[in-house]
């Protein structure tokens, strides 16, 4: 892969479970449990998986909003987790995030101008009229107008609020944007507008995106590559077209079959996932998908499959493929 | 949420409006006491002690012949002061404690919460009595005691709200931007705590007035001849058979003021509730 911007290896985030008067730890939620992926400059990587599989946690750890348990994340070759306070400030200008919930992501007591100005203020970017001009430009860039500057978030629709959040994220001119389910909370009619905005912005500013979603339909048109996550791990990554035509992991196959097809005559078998999702506190030995897998082999209960390249940059963590290709 | 919107909500609630009128009246009386009081609240006239209401003395004279109405009017000043000072003490210490506890969590939270638990293990009034007895019996120490006793109320409220706000996405966005913890608390947490704090403080002023009256009634607050409502109740109680107006009017005044503050507090709670504004 050319020109890697972000490379994540073996990322883990365990949340301690505490109880009692003194807060004794009695276990861990393994929210992210050995995630590895890389994103090239200017690329859009999709991270897809069911709700609760650790997508947001992955983003939050890489953004240093929470501390990692283990692993490495290199941004342009520099270790994010080794950065001191001064480097961290610089990092904040290189990576930003757009959140899922447009109602919770904007402080209800601030005006739009204040919300977009906050990053500029924190980083001492521009001042006075110059800053106001910059805010105006940012709002225009995301499809809002000057007239909106003095308003409060509750006066806007979900889609408009999301645009305000995007303006805030763009204000520091980041290279990498995490988009954490940025359209999941919006009406379908609005979703494509926002996705189009992301595509425009990417072209204009050469942005790199990590686009998080809980289903494959949303990411199909915007992502160059997709990483499928299951219970804190990446189980398959491939270029988008490759993943859609040749999904190898049984979980990816099930996710794909869940996408409605426009043509009602097209033969499509909906793969329903049976079985229970294991508790992320207490995972079974072996493959974490085994409890719901249609093709479970004896080896699946014994060893956790590693993510390995099966050709053309298509990576897979599944025993089935190795067994069948041998 | 603007104050105009709050007012619009409040206007629809009759009881809250009544509360607002009572509280506004109470504050006005306290502020303009010297102009409103028909007589000197301390001027005694033993010979005419216990006189029933008349045109000259609308609420009669107390056990030392002082004008009850004038004493109640000046008492409003004391009660308003008690309410405000105890809230400043309680919120001034409780809010930062709760915010730090909720925001940083972990061991800090644990220590602060156990301290609060210890304070809450004693009945508030009992704790206030112990504090006043230790500090020395006077109105200032009664205010300090009531302020201290109300710290847990604020700390708990603020901690709970902060716990929610800490993980809310706009706070995470601020963190992703690079705003410091102190900056986040000052710019995003405290402003969003204001609504519950205003509600709590309105109710807390009522509680403080009641507690101060209670302490004064027990002789642990305002001392004679201060025209404090609780003290008036206390000194007049022996005459309840012969001159019931001496205790009835202070009692009614306390009741109406506390009721007004509670009605207003409940109304504000509804008006400021973010779920109602959309
Ligand atoms: N602060 C936290 N403390 C404890 N558990 C958490 C915390 N944040 C997330 N989790 C748990 O981690 C798992 C992954 O959560 P998340 O990353 O939000 O999933 P996703 O974004 O994929 O829906 C879930 O089981 C969630 O309950
Ligand atoms: Mg999420």
């Amino acid at each position: 892969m050319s020109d890697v911007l972000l490379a994540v290896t073996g990322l883990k985030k365990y949340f301690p479970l505490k109880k009692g008067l003194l807060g004794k730890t009695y276990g861990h939620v393994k929210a992210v449990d050995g995630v590895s992926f890389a994103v090239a400059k200017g690329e859009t990587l999709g991270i897809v998986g069911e709700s609760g599989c650790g997508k947001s946690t992955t983003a939050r750890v890489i953004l240093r909003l929470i501390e990692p348990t283990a692993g490495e994340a290199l941004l342009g070759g520099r270790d994010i987790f080794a950065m001191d306070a001064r480097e961290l400030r610089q990092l904040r200008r290189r990576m930003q995030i757009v959140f899922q919930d447009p109602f919770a992501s904007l402080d209800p007591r601030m005006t739009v101008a204040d919300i977009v100005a906050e990053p500029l203020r924190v980083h001492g970017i521009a001042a006075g009229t110059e800053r106001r001009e910059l805010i105006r430009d940012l709002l225009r860039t995301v499809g809002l107008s000057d007239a909106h500057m003095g308003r409060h978030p509750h006066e806007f629709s979900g889609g408009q609020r999301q645009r305000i959040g995007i303006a805030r994220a763009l204000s520091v001119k980041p290279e990498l944007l995490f988009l954490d389910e940025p359209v999941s909370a919006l009406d379908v009619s609005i979703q494509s507008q926002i996705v189009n905005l992301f595509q425009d912005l990417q072209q204009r500013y050469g942005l790199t995106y990590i686009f998080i979603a809980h289903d494959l339909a949303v990411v199909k048109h915007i992502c160059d590559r997709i990483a499928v996550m299951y219970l804190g791990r990446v189980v398959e990554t491939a270029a988008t077209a490759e993943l859609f035509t040749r999904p190898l992991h049984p979980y990816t196959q099930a996710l794909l079959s869940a996408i409605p097809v426009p043509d009602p005559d097209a033969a499509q078998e909906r793969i329903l996932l049976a079985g229970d999702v294991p508790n992320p506190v207490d995972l079974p030995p072996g493959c974490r998908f085994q409890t719901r897998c249609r093709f479970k082999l004896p080896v699946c209960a014994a060893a956790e499959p590693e993510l390995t390249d099966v050709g053309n940059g298509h990576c897979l963590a599944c025993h089935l493929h190795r067994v069948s290709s041998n | 949420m603007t104050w105009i919107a709050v007012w619009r909500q409040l206007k629809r609630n009759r009881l809250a409006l009544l509360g607002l009128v009572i509280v506004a009246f109470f504050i006005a009386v306290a502020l303009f006491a010297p102009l409103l009081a028909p007589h000197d609240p301390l001027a005694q006239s033993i010979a005419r002690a216990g006189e029933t209401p008349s045109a000259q003395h609308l609420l009669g004279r107390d056990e030392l012949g002082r004008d009850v109405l004038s004493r109640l009017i000046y008492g409003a000043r004391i009660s308003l002061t008690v309410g405000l000072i105890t809230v400043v003490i309680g919120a001034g210490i409780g809010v930062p404690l709760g915010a730090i506890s909720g925001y940083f969590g972990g061991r800090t939270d644990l220590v602060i919460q156990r301290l609060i638990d210890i304070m809450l293990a004693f009945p508030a009034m009992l704790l206030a009595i112990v504090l006043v007895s230790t500090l020395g019996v006077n109105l200032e120490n009664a205010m300090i005691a009531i302020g201290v006793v109300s710290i847990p109320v604020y700390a708990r409220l603020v901690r709970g709200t902060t716990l929610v706000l800490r993980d809310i996405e706009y706070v995470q966005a601020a963190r992703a931007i690079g705003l410091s913890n102190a900056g986040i608390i000052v710019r995003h947490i405290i402003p969003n705590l204001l609504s519950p704090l205003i509600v709590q403080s309105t109710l807390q002023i009522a509680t403080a007035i009641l507690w101060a009256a209670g302490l004064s009634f027990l002789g642990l607050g305002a001392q004679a001849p201060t025209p404090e409502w609780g003290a008036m109740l206390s000194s007049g109680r022996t005459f309840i058979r012969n001159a019931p107006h001496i205790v009835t009017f202070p009692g009614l005044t306390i009741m109406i003021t506390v009721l007004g503050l509670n009605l207003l507090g409940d109304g504000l709670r509804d008006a400021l509730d973010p779920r109602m504004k959309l």
Side-chain angles (χ1 to χ4, degrees):
Chain A
M1 199 186 332
S2 62
D3 224 357
V4 172
L5 179 62
L6 176 72
V8 176
T9 326
L11 188 67
K12 291 186 182 177
K13 178 64 192 181
Y14 295 174
F15 292 107
L17 293 165
K18 293 186 175 183
K19 68 173 172 193
L21 208 60
L22 296 172
K24 214 169 95 215
T25 302
Y26 69 94
H28 293 275
V29 179
K30 299 181 175 176
V32 178
D33 197 14
V35 160
S36 305
F37 62 83
V39 195
K41 218 165 238 152
E43 181 188 54
T44 301
L45 172 73
I47 297 184
V48 178
E50 287 164 306
S51 169
C53 71
K55 309 180 295 291
S56 298
T57 305
T58 304
R60 289 200 292 151
V61 171
I62 296 169
L63 283 159
R64 286 277 303 256
L65 299 179
I66 48 178
E67 294 305 309
T69 303
E72 188 185 64
L74 303 177
L75 183 73
R78 303 257 303 285
D79 187 353
I80 291 173
F81 302 145
M83 289 182 178
D84 61 23
R86 204 174 47 82
E87 290 174 297
L88 202 54
R89 263 179 81 79
Q90 294 305 312
L91 180 76
R92 301 292 183 211
R93 297 182 62 165
R94 299 183 65 187
M95 297 196 297
Q96 276 299 315
I97 177 165
V98 174
F99 290 98
Q100 170 175 8
D101 183 352
F103 290 89
S105 58
L106 308 175
D107 189 330
R109 302 206 161 256
M110 293 173 101
T111 61
V112 171
D114 286 340
I115 290 169
V116 180
E118 184 152 64
L120 304 176
R121 207 174 45 76
V122 169
H123 292 282
I125 303 169
T129 48
E130 197 192 338
R131 186 180 288 174
R132 270 198 99 66
E133 203 45 53
L134 199 56
I135 295 168
R136 248 181 222 120
D137 285 346
L138 282 162
L139 290 180
R140 259 179 244 135
T141 306
V142 298
L144 294 169
S145 82
D146 295 11
H148 294 130
M149 288 178 71
R151 306 243 186 104
H152 286 83
H154 68 90
E155 299 174 60
F156 294 91
S157 67
Q160 285 175 312
R161 282 159 164 258
Q162 212 54 325
R163 290 174 193 270
I164 300 168
I166 295 166
R168 171 178 58 195
L170 286 179
S171 65
V172 294
K173 298 198 167 66
E175 300 157 64
L176 176 62
L177 264 186
F178 285 85
L179 310 174
D180 190 355
E181 307 207 31
V183 298
S184 302
L186 304 178
D187 289 347
V188 180
S189 56
I190 311 291
Q191 287 190 356
S192 57
Q193 291 176 17
I194 299 292
V195 169
N196 287 342
L197 175 62
F198 283 130
Q199 285 176 322
D200 290 347
L201 293 172
Q202 186 165 42
Q203 291 214 324
R204 245 165 105 173
Y205 301 111
L207 291 165
T208 306
Y209 288 150
I210 292 182
F211 194 111
I212 295 172
H214 62 254
D215 71 81
L216 278 165
V218 184
V219 294
K220 184 171 182 181
H221 299 292
I222 189 168
C223 295
D224 302 302
R225 280 186 322 117
I226 291 172
V228 177
M229 267 184 87
Y230 186 77
L231 277 183
R233 272 203 170 221
V234 174
V235 293
E236 183 166 14
T237 70
T240 306
E242 162 87 1
L243 192 86
F244 273 78
T245 49
R246 207 166 70 94
L248 295 177
H249 198 285
Y251 180 60
T252 311
Q253 290 164 2
L255 283 182
L256 269 175
S257 78
I259 300 176
V261 195
D263 177 5
D265 294 332
Q268 192 197 17
E269 178 204 5
R270 171 92 196 254
I271 305 166
L272 288 174
L273 288 173
D276 293 328
V277 185
N279 183 346
V281 179
D282 189 20
L283 288 170
C287 176
R288 56 195 70 205
F289 187 62
Q290 60 178 291
T291 53
R292 297 164 83 186
C293 187
R294 299 191 295 165
F295 308 110
K296 187 185 167 188
L297 304 169
V299 62
C300 300
E304 173 115 63
E306 289 296 323
L307 194 66
T308 39
D309 197 328
V310 294
N312 297 327
H314 193 150
C315 297
L316 181 70
C318 180
H319 292 302
L320 194 64
H321 183 76
R322 220 189 33 233
V323 172
S324 58
S325 55
N326 278 353
Chain B
M1 180 117 204
T2 60
W3 288 109
I4 298 163
V6 175
W7 168 240
R8 233 179 265 136
Q9 285 284 343
L10 205 61
K11 240 178 6 183
R12 287 197 234 147
N13 182 341
R14 275 161 195 279
L15 283 176
L17 273 187
L18 176 64
L20 184 66
V21 169
I22 294 172
V23 171
F25 180 74
F26 161 64
I27 292 172
V29 167
L31 289 178
F32 302 113
L35 300 175
L36 295 172
H39 299 277
D40 179 350
L42 301 180
Q44 303 183 3
S45 174
I46 304 292
R48 308 183 62 177
E51 255 184 28
T52 48
S54 64
Q56 265 292 305
H57 298 275
L58 289 175
L59 301 182
R61 289 169 178 266
D62 72 1
E63 73 283 356
L64 294 175
R66 295 170 296 198
D67 181 48
V68 172
L69 178 61
S70 300
R71 288 181 67 73
L72 287 178
I73 289 172
Y74 273 91
R77 288 202 142 177
I78 295 173
S79 288
L80 184 67
T81 312
V82 166
L84 292 181
I85 289 190
T86 54
V87 161
V88 167
I89 295 174
I93 301 174
V95 171
L97 269 186
I100 290 168
S101 195
Y103 187 80
F104 292 103
R107 214 161 279 274
T108 320
D109 183 34
L110 213 65
V111 171
I112 294 175
Q113 286 316 304
R114 289 304 86 85
L115 286 175
I116 301 281
D117 283 345
I118 292 169
M119 282 186 76
L120 286 174
F122 300 98
M125 195 65 188
L126 191 66
L127 199 59
I129 290 171
V130 171
L131 276 172
V132 173
S133 318
T134 319
L135 295 170
V137 173
N138 59 45
L139 186 61
E140 288 73 39
N141 288 339
M143 288 195 258
I144 293 174
I146 295 168
V148 169
V149 167
S150 59
I151 291 172
V153 179
Y154 284 99
R156 274 282 149 90
L157 172 77
V158 169
R159 175 180 179 266
T161 317
T162 305
L163 274 178
V164 176
L165 289 176
R166 182 184 66 174
D167 291 328
I168 208 162
E169 292 182 346
Y170 62 77
V171 168
Q172 298 206 24
R175 208 171 290 144
I177 279 159
L179 195 62
S180 63
N181 285 328
I184 289 173
I185 292 179
V186 170
R187 289 183 58 89
H188 295 287
I189 307 260
I190 305 261
N192 284 290
L193 281 168
L194 277 184
S195 304
L197 276 180
I198 288 169
V199 173
Q200 187 59 50
S201 296
T202 311
L203 301 172
Q204 197 60 35
I205 288 175
T207 308
I209 290 174
L210 212 51
W211 284 351
L215 285 176
S216 298
F217 184 86
L218 297 173
L220 296 171
Q223 300 299 305
T226 318
E228 201 276 339
W229 297 343
M232 288 170 73
L233 268 183
S234 174
S235 54
R237 74 184 188 282
T238 34
F239 307 95
I240 193 160
R241 281 170 193 281
N242 313 334
H245 67 272
I246 299 178
V247 287
T248 311
F249 292 121
L252 276 176
T253 308
I254 294 173
M255 194 194 88
I256 292 171
T257 308
V258 169
L259 179 73
L261 284 160
N262 277 304
L263 289 177
L264 179 63
D266 283 341
L268 281 174
R269 192 200 312 276
D270 294 341
L272 291 166
D273 189 335
R275 276 165 304 186
M276 311 250 315
K277 84 181 167 211
L278 294 173

PDB file of all heavy atoms in Angstrom, chain B residues 140-155:
ATOM      1  N   GLU B 140     -24.444  33.749  62.295  1.00  0.00           N
ATOM      2  CA  GLU B 140     -23.408  33.523  61.279  1.00  0.00           C
ATOM      3  C   GLU B 140     -23.004  32.055  61.256  1.00  0.00           C
ATOM      4  O   GLU B 140     -22.908  31.436  60.197  1.00  0.00           O
ATOM      5  CB  GLU B 140     -22.160  34.386  61.543  1.00  0.00           C
ATOM      6  CG  GLU B 140     -22.333  35.864  61.271  1.00  0.00           C
ATOM      7  CD  GLU B 140     -23.189  36.561  62.335  1.00  0.00           C
ATOM      8  OE1 GLU B 140     -23.037  36.207  63.536  1.00  0.00           O
ATOM      9  OE2 GLU B 140     -24.024  37.408  61.975  1.00  0.00           O
ATOM     10  N   ASN B 141     -22.761  31.503  62.452  1.00  0.00           N
ATOM     11  CA  ASN B 141     -22.366  30.095  62.507  1.00  0.00           C
ATOM     12  C   ASN B 141     -23.501  29.174  62.091  1.00  0.00           C
ATOM     13  O   ASN B 141     -23.266  28.109  61.518  1.00  0.00           O
ATOM     14  CB  ASN B 141     -21.867  29.740  63.910  1.00  0.00           C
ATOM     15  CG  ASN B 141     -20.505  30.353  64.173  1.00  0.00           C
ATOM     16  OD1 ASN B 141     -19.779  30.689  63.228  1.00  0.00           O
ATOM     17  ND2 ASN B 141     -20.162  30.526  65.439  1.00  0.00           N
ATOM     18  N   ALA B 142     -24.734  29.589  62.362  1.00  0.00           N
ATOM     19  CA  ALA B 142     -25.873  28.790  61.897  1.00  0.00           C
ATOM     20  C   ALA B 142     -25.876  28.744  60.370  1.00  0.00           C
ATOM     21  O   ALA B 142     -26.114  27.695  59.765  1.00  0.00           O
ATOM     22  CB  ALA B 142     -27.181  29.371  62.418  1.00  0.00           C
ATOM     23  N   MET B 143     -25.571  29.886  59.748  1.00  0.00           N
ATOM     24  CA  MET B 143     -25.525  29.912  58.276  1.00  0.00           C
ATOM     25  C   MET B 143     -24.403  29.018  57.762  1.00  0.00           C
ATOM     26  O   MET B 143     -24.582  28.275  56.806  1.00  0.00           O
ATOM     27  CB  MET B 143     -25.325  31.348  57.791  1.00  0.00           C
ATOM     28  CG  MET B 143     -26.552  32.203  57.969  1.00  0.00           C
ATOM     29  SD  MET B 143     -26.436  33.711  57.005  1.00  0.00           S
ATOM     30  CE  MET B 143     -25.999  34.884  58.244  1.00  0.00           C
ATOM     31  N   ILE B 144     -23.246  29.113  58.408  1.00  0.00           N
ATOM     32  CA  ILE B 144     -22.128  28.252  57.998  1.00  0.00           C
ATOM     33  C   ILE B 144     -22.528  26.788  58.128  1.00  0.00           C
ATOM     34  O   ILE B 144     -22.327  25.984  57.215  1.00  0.00           O
ATOM     35  CB  ILE B 144     -20.873  28.551  58.857  1.00  0.00           C
ATOM     36  CG1 ILE B 144     -20.373  29.962  58.532  1.00  0.00           C
ATOM     37  CG2 ILE B 144     -19.781  27.511  58.601  1.00  0.00           C
ATOM     38  CD1 ILE B 144     -19.222  30.427  59.414  1.00  0.00           C
ATOM     39  N   ALA B 145     -23.158  26.450  59.259  1.00  0.00           N
ATOM     40  CA  ALA B 145     -23.539  25.058  59.499  1.00  0.00           C
ATOM     41  C   ALA B 145     -24.524  24.575  58.429  1.00  0.00           C
ATOM     42  O   ALA B 145     -24.360  23.490  57.863  1.00  0.00           O
ATOM     43  CB  ALA B 145     -24.154  24.922  60.888  1.00  0.00           C
ATOM     44  N   ILE B 146     -25.518  25.393  58.139  1.00  0.00           N
ATOM     45  CA  ILE B 146     -26.519  24.990  57.141  1.00  0.00           C
ATOM     46  C   ILE B 146     -25.865  24.883  55.766  1.00  0.00           C
ATOM     47  O   ILE B 146     -26.141  23.963  54.993  1.00  0.00           O
ATOM     48  CB  ILE B 146     -27.699  25.986  57.124  1.00  0.00           C
ATOM     49  CG1 ILE B 146     -28.439  25.910  58.471  1.00  0.00           C
ATOM     50  CG2 ILE B 146     -28.658  25.669  55.984  1.00  0.00           C
ATOM     51  CD1 ILE B 146     -29.434  27.033  58.671  1.00  0.00           C
ATOM     52  N   GLY B 147     -24.961  25.820  55.467  1.00  0.00           N
ATOM     53  CA  GLY B 147     -24.229  25.758  54.196  1.00  0.00           C
ATOM     54  C   GLY B 147     -23.441  24.462  54.091  1.00  0.00           C
ATOM     55  O   GLY B 147     -23.515  23.761  53.078  1.00  0.00           O
ATOM     56  N   VAL B 148     -22.728  24.129  55.137  1.00  0.00           N
ATOM     57  CA  VAL B 148     -21.906  22.915  55.121  1.00  0.00           C
ATOM     58  C   VAL B 148     -22.784  21.678  54.967  1.00  0.00           C
ATOM     59  O   VAL B 148     -22.478  20.759  54.198  1.00  0.00           O
ATOM     60  CB  VAL B 148     -21.049  22.826  56.410  1.00  0.00           C
ATOM     61  CG1 VAL B 148     -20.407  21.452  56.542  1.00  0.00           C
ATOM     62  CG2 VAL B 148     -19.982  23.917  56.406  1.00  0.00           C
ATOM     63  N   VAL B 149     -23.913  21.680  55.700  1.00  0.00           N
ATOM     64  CA  VAL B 149     -24.800  20.521  55.643  1.00  0.00           C
ATOM     65  C   VAL B 149     -25.399  20.339  54.238  1.00  0.00           C
ATOM     66  O   VAL B 149     -25.737  19.229  53.837  1.00  0.00           O
ATOM     67  CB  VAL B 149     -25.904  20.682  56.720  1.00  0.00           C
ATOM     68  CG1 VAL B 149     -27.017  19.696  56.497  1.00  0.00           C
ATOM     69  CG2 VAL B 149     -25.312  20.492  58.101  1.00  0.00           C
ATOM     70  N   SER B 150     -25.494  21.445  53.476  1.00  0.00           N
ATOM     71  CA  SER B 150     -26.083  21.301  52.137  1.00  0.00           C
ATOM     72  C   SER B 150     -25.038  20.973  51.059  1.00  0.00           C
ATOM     73  O   SER B 150     -25.389  20.784  49.899  1.00  0.00           O
ATOM     74  CB  SER B 150     -26.883  22.554  51.770  1.00  0.00           C
ATOM     75  OG  SER B 150     -26.053  23.685  51.791  1.00  0.00           O
ATOM     76  N   ILE B 151     -23.772  20.884  51.443  1.00  0.00           N
ATOM     77  CA  ILE B 151     -22.735  20.510  50.469  1.00  0.00           C
ATOM     78  C   ILE B 151     -23.050  19.184  49.773  1.00  0.00           C
ATOM     79  O   ILE B 151     -22.984  19.089  48.547  1.00  0.00           O
ATOM     80  CB  ILE B 151     -21.337  20.466  51.135  1.00  0.00           C
ATOM     81  CG1 ILE B 151     -20.900  21.880  51.509  1.00  0.00           C
ATOM     82  CG2 ILE B 151     -20.305  19.835  50.201  1.00  0.00           C
ATOM     83  CD1 ILE B 151     -19.633  21.922  52.342  1.00  0.00           C
ATOM     84  N   PRO B 152     -23.408  18.119  50.547  1.00  0.00           N
ATOM     85  CA  PRO B 152     -23.651  16.827  49.888  1.00  0.00           C
ATOM     86  C   PRO B 152     -24.739  16.882  48.817  1.00  0.00           C
ATOM     87  O   PRO B 152     -24.635  16.224  47.791  1.00  0.00           O
ATOM     88  CB  PRO B 152     -24.078  15.907  51.034  1.00  0.00           C
ATOM     89  CG  PRO B 152     -23.535  16.535  52.254  1.00  0.00           C
ATOM     90  CD  PRO B 152     -23.530  18.006  52.007  1.00  0.00           C
ATOM     91  N   VAL B 153     -25.765  17.694  49.062  1.00  0.00           N
ATOM     92  CA  VAL B 153     -26.862  17.794  48.097  1.00  0.00           C
ATOM     93  C   VAL B 153     -26.308  18.252  46.744  1.00  0.00           C
ATOM     94  O   VAL B 153     -26.603  17.674  45.695  1.00  0.00           O
ATOM     95  CB  VAL B 153     -27.924  18.790  48.588  1.00  0.00           C
ATOM     96  CG1 VAL B 153     -29.049  18.908  47.587  1.00  0.00           C
ATOM     97  CG2 VAL B 153     -28.443  18.379  49.954  1.00  0.00           C
ATOM     98  N   TYR B 154     -25.475  19.305  46.800  1.00  0.00           N
ATOM     99  CA  TYR B 154     -24.896  19.831  45.568  1.00  0.00           C
ATOM    100  C   TYR B 154     -23.888  18.863  44.963  1.00  0.00           C
ATOM    101  O   TYR B 154     -23.868  18.643  43.752  1.00  0.00           O
ATOM    102  CB  TYR B 154     -24.239  21.185  45.836  1.00  0.00           C
ATOM    103  CG  TYR B 154     -25.235  22.287  45.983  1.00  0.00           C
ATOM    104  CD1 TYR B 154     -25.634  22.730  47.233  1.00  0.00           C
ATOM    105  CD2 TYR B 154     -25.805  22.872  44.861  1.00  0.00           C
ATOM    106  CE1 TYR B 154     -26.567  23.734  47.364  1.00  0.00           C
ATOM    107  CE2 TYR B 154     -26.743  23.882  44.981  1.00  0.00           C
ATOM    108  CZ  TYR B 154     -27.122  24.304  46.237  1.00  0.00           C
ATOM    109  OH  TYR B 154     -28.061  25.297  46.357  1.00  0.00           O
ATOM    110  N   ALA B 155     -23.047  18.301  45.821  1.00  0.00           N
ATOM    111  CA  ALA B 155     -22.004  17.406  45.315  1.00  0.00           C
ATOM    112  C   ALA B 155     -22.628  16.212  44.591  1.00  0.00           C
ATOM    113  O   ALA B 155     -22.186  15.824  43.506  1.00  0.00           O
ATOM    114  CB  ALA B 155     -21.117  16.934  46.463  1.00  0.00           C
TER     115      ALA B 155
END
